[in-house]
Amino acid sequence: MNDQNFDVIIVGGSGAGLSAAMVLGRSRRKTLVIDNGRPCNAVARASHNFLTHDGDSPASIRQQALKKIRVYPEVKIHFGTAIKTLKTETGFVVQTEAGDEFTAQKLVFANGLTDELPDIKGFKACWGITALHCPYCHGYEFINQPTGLILDGSDFLNTASIIHNLSLNFVVMTNGIKPLSPKQLQTLERNKIEIIYEPIAEIQHRNGFVQGVLFADGTSREFNVLYAHTNRLYHSALAESLGFELGNSGYIIRNSDMKTNVPGVYACGEVSGAARSVAVAVAGGNIAGSTVNNDLCREAFLGL
């Protein structure tokens, strides 16, 4: 095989992709990871709930992973952006923005998603620092501190219940959206959670650390942390030409073995709709790598 031809190409080199690459490297599979170096958790200062890495930054975890993976010479890392995938008689072709072209028998998508942030002044500067998406990932660091949940019209009671367990100093802000349902109102009232209906004008902060929220009527409220739902843009467009089955919000549908509906193609991590957690991504990548190698072994052994 030449330097452009691999057993497996992995698109995406964050937790899921690098985890799959490690399994494949240890299985003596010539593997290429194509990564553009822009993971969705790049803004986060720390990652949590990942055993042995609790509190490490995503960048640090990635660097440690790359160091470990480079032990396996079968795995190559190509820094670039994959822009096109094609099915051939023997496998797949992946083309990059720079004009490189690589081929492989199997293809793994692990290229994540992008967050479309709320259009609120100051929110972007705080994103991943004190404006957060997940109380499991970061909530412990803000126990009992002034906490706000910004609503966007979607169901929020489950998220509110998790936040309420971390801080009783908790306010729900509707940001001027449609009225809450009777069930939502009843639940918030029963748990003595304050509701602010006024639209938000600005998130007041200092270097990304929330100081408070300024409302459209000129009033303000102090907060140390805010939670908000983001619109998730899954990086599945690259896979559409292969005939993938996608979920309603655009993620790639796969089974428990990370197989998609396209033979020879697998998906893991956030692009497959997995929970937004480094630990979950790494677990999914491990399963994907094992499944790919199992399939390659079986096909060669049985002459399929």
Side-chain angles (χ1 to χ4, degrees):
M1 292 186 291
N2 60 40
D3 289 337
Q4 307 298 108
N5 189 23
F6 295 84
D7 295 326
V8 186
I9 293 175
I10 300 170
V11 180
S14 194
L18 293 180
S19 178
M22 177 168 283
V23 175
L24 290 164
R26 290 180 55 81
S27 301
R28 303 180 63 196
R29 295 299 175 187
K30 190 176 181 185
T31 302
L32 179 69
V33 179
I34 302 175
D35 182 55
N36 62 14
R38 297 193 297 270
C40 70
N41 63 0
V43 296
R45 299 193 174 191
S47 176
H48 295 282
N49 289 325
F50 185 10
L51 197 62
T52 75
H53 289 287
D54 188 53
D56 291 351
S57 70
S60 172
I61 294 172
R62 174 179 162 78
Q63 289 305 312
Q64 292 177 65
L66 287 170
K67 181 179 178 180
K68 297 289 187 182
I69 286 170
R70 289 191 175 106
V71 170
Y72 304 101
E74 293 83 2
V75 179
K76 306 298 181 185
I77 308 295
H78 179 83
F79 294 101
T81 301
I83 60 169
K84 190 173 184 180
T85 55
L86 301 169
K87 182 76 174 71
T88 69
E89 291 183 1
T90 57
F92 302 90
V93 175
V94 179
Q95 299 173 350
T96 71
E97 194 173 51
D100 299 300
E101 188 170 288
F102 304 99
T103 62
Q105 297 178 58
K106 306 292 184 183
L107 184 58
V108 178
F109 283 97
N111 48 332
L113 55 77
T114 296
D115 289 291
E116 188 175 66
L117 303 182
D119 185 19
I120 301 172
K121 183 180 179 181
F123 188 93
K124 183 177 180 180
C126 300
W127 179 242
I129 304 172
T130 53
L132 309 171
H133 77 286
C134 175
Y136 283 111
C137 296
H138 307 287
Y140 186 86
E141 284 63 44
F142 297 97
I143 285 178
N144 292 327
Q145 296 184 36
T147 302
L149 173 60
I150 301 172
L151 306 187
D152 68 345
S154 58
D155 187 25
F156 67 92
L157 289 181
N158 183 64
T159 300
S161 71
I162 299 168
I163 297 171
H164 188 248
N165 181 58
L166 295 168
S167 177
L168 298 180
N169 193 353
F170 174 38
V171 175
V172 165
M173 292 169 279
T174 71
N175 195 25
I177 62 170
K178 64 183 181 180
L180 301 183
S181 70
K183 177 185 176 182
Q184 291 170 336
L185 288 169
Q186 183 182 32
T187 301
L188 294 178
E189 181 180 351
R190 184 174 66 250
N191 288 283
K192 298 181 174 57
I193 297 173
E194 181 183 354
I195 308 170
I196 299 178
Y197 293 94
E198 191 69 21
I200 295 171
E202 181 181 352
I203 307 300
Q204 300 168 318
H205 68 95
R206 182 176 298 170
N207 299 321
F209 289 86
V210 172
Q211 306 289 302
V213 171
L214 176 66
F215 297 97
D217 63 359
T219 62
S220 62
R221 186 68 170 265
E222 291 184 1
F223 291 102
N224 288 357
V225 60
L226 300 172
Y227 293 93
H229 178 266
T230 63
N231 186 27
R232 300 173 182 181
L233 306 176
Y234 294 95
H235 298 165
S236 54
L238 185 64
E240 288 180 4
S241 63
L242 298 176
F244 276 93
E245 183 181 358
L246 302 179
N248 291 334
S249 55
Y251 61 88
I252 299 172
I253 294 176
R254 44 77 178 172
N255 66 14
S256 60
D257 290 329
M258 308 300 157
K259 293 184 179 184
T260 71
N261 65 302
V262 178
V265 185
Y266 313 76
C268 55
E270 291 164 351
V271 75
S272 69
R276 303 191 63 180
S277 158
V278 175
V280 171
V282 168
N286 187 279
I287 294 170
S290 299
T291 302
V292 172
N293 185 60
N294 289 346
D295 287 349
L296 286 169
C297 288
R298 181 178 57 83
E299 290 163 9
F301 197 72
L302 299 178
L304 299 177

